[in-house]
Amino acid sequence: MSGFSAEWLSLREPIDHRSRNQALQTKVLHYLAQVNTVDPRSVHITDLGSGTGSNLRALAPHLSSLQYWTLVDYDQTLLHVARSTLLAWADSEIDMPAIESLDAHSMSVKPLSILKQNKTIIVKFKRIDLLNDYPTILNEPTDLITAAAFFDLVAEPWLIKFCAFLTKPLYTVLTYDGIEKWSPPEIIDAEILKEFHQHQRTDKGFGGALGPAAAKCLQSLLHDQHFTTICAPSPWILDHQDRTLIQQLTMGTAQAIREMHAIPLAKVNQWEQSRMQASRCEIGHIDIFAHNI
Ligand SMILES: C[S@@+](CC[C@H](N)C(=O)[O-])C[C@H]1O[C@@H](n2cnc3c(N)ncnc32)[C@H](O)[C@@H]1O
């Protein structure tokens, strides 16, 4: 278990999808259309920290008619939910027994072939802990490495090694950048945010996490490795229509602050009660595309 529930990922999925920077996505699609892919008739994508497959559902409708996806996560439960959610999302399942023999030993969840909007999407699920096993994944032939809401969890020493090992284009979306604006504003917001950032920097499985510093650090490390990088904002803009997400976000933030034991409980509880009613809030994210040609 990773600590990310399928329910939380499902709640944020539509907001994640509408928040992704569309101009940057267009550049990625344009790039993929120009370069020589692993196989000229198809596109191969590897999604790191895939959760339940939200990134695939966002991107696949815009890609070519034959797609091979590898979803990588260390949480077996989420990979199983990914499979069932993709089946429910698909127009139909395609009977393709041959894919089961493709390196079945490393796949803990049965591969899937689906048809969605006339696109054939073949999905492999790999249960892998990226802390140590990222070279295995990065060595596999693929046209694009992608990730959503993942890189703020990692630590700088890990990211340095990851970037040094990376040779393929990377498209990562929705990395938290630390900017939060709540309406109406309250004086205590700044104190809560500062403490939340401290929590974001605690160990999320890779050593002390980069949290809000991740996007800048990733861009700089990729630049050092001679990648061309493009960054674009992808903030969540939440209003009364997103009440459930605002409430879950508020509760999650308040719980993180309580775990830090730095702000009096009464103050945190008061902030939580008031923020559950917030009329609007903006949570900053950054999307990055990096390529080396
Ligand atoms: C915030 S969730 C994002 C999930 C998905 N990309 C999305 O956008 O809905 C982070 C994901 O990274 C995965 N993850 C965290 N640490 C990992 C690790 N060491 N190896 C593989 N996956 C990991 C979690 O299991 C979780 O699915």
Side-chain angles (χ1 to χ4, degrees), residues 152-188:
D152 39 48
L153 303 175
V154 309
E156 187 169 4
W158 182 89
L159 197 57
I160 291 170
K161 289 187 281 173
F162 175 89
C163 290
F165 206 88
L166 182 73
T167 54
K168 302 182 174 83
L170 175 72
Y171 175 42
T172 176
V173 299
L174 298 156
T175 304
Y176 177 67
D177 73 357
I179 296 171
E180 300 202 10
K181 294 177 196 158
W182 293 81
S183 295
E186 287 180 15
I187 289 170
I188 192 190

Side-chain angles (χ1 to χ4, degrees), residues 121-145:
I121 307 172
I122 296 162
V123 192
K124 288 193 282 182
F125 304 88
K126 293 203 171 185
R127 185 186 185 186
I128 281 183
D129 187 344
L130 289 164
L131 171 65
N132 295 314
D133 291 346
Y134 64 88
T136 317
I137 286 297
L138 295 185
N139 271 333
E140 289 181 0
T142 193
D143 300 310
L144 184 71
I145 307 280

Side-chain angles (χ1 to χ4, degrees), residues 2 4 9 49-51 54 73-74 78 128-130 148-150 153 206:
S2 67
F4 292 97
L9 297 180
S50 61
S54 168
D73 207 290
Y74 69 171
L78 290 182
I128 281 183
D129 187 344
L130 289 164
F150 173 72
L153 303 175
F206 294 84

Side-chain angles (χ1 to χ4, degrees), residues 254-269:
Q255 185 51 31
I257 307 289
R258 286 185 197 105
E259 286 169 19
M260 301 300 286
H261 304 290
I263 301 181
L265 268 185
K267 232 174 162 183
V268 181
N269 294 345

Side-chain angles (χ1 to χ4, degrees), residues 61-93:
H62 308 284
L63 292 166
S64 58
S65 56
L66 178 58
Q67 306 173 23
Y68 291 86
W69 282 79
T70 303
L71 301 195
V72 179
D73 207 290
Y74 69 171
D75 188 323
Q76 172 96 337
T77 306
L78 290 182
L79 288 175
H80 277 291
V81 177
R83 191 179 194 283
S84 56
T85 309
L86 286 168
L87 256 181
W89 170 79
D91 297 331
S92 59
E93 184 177 8

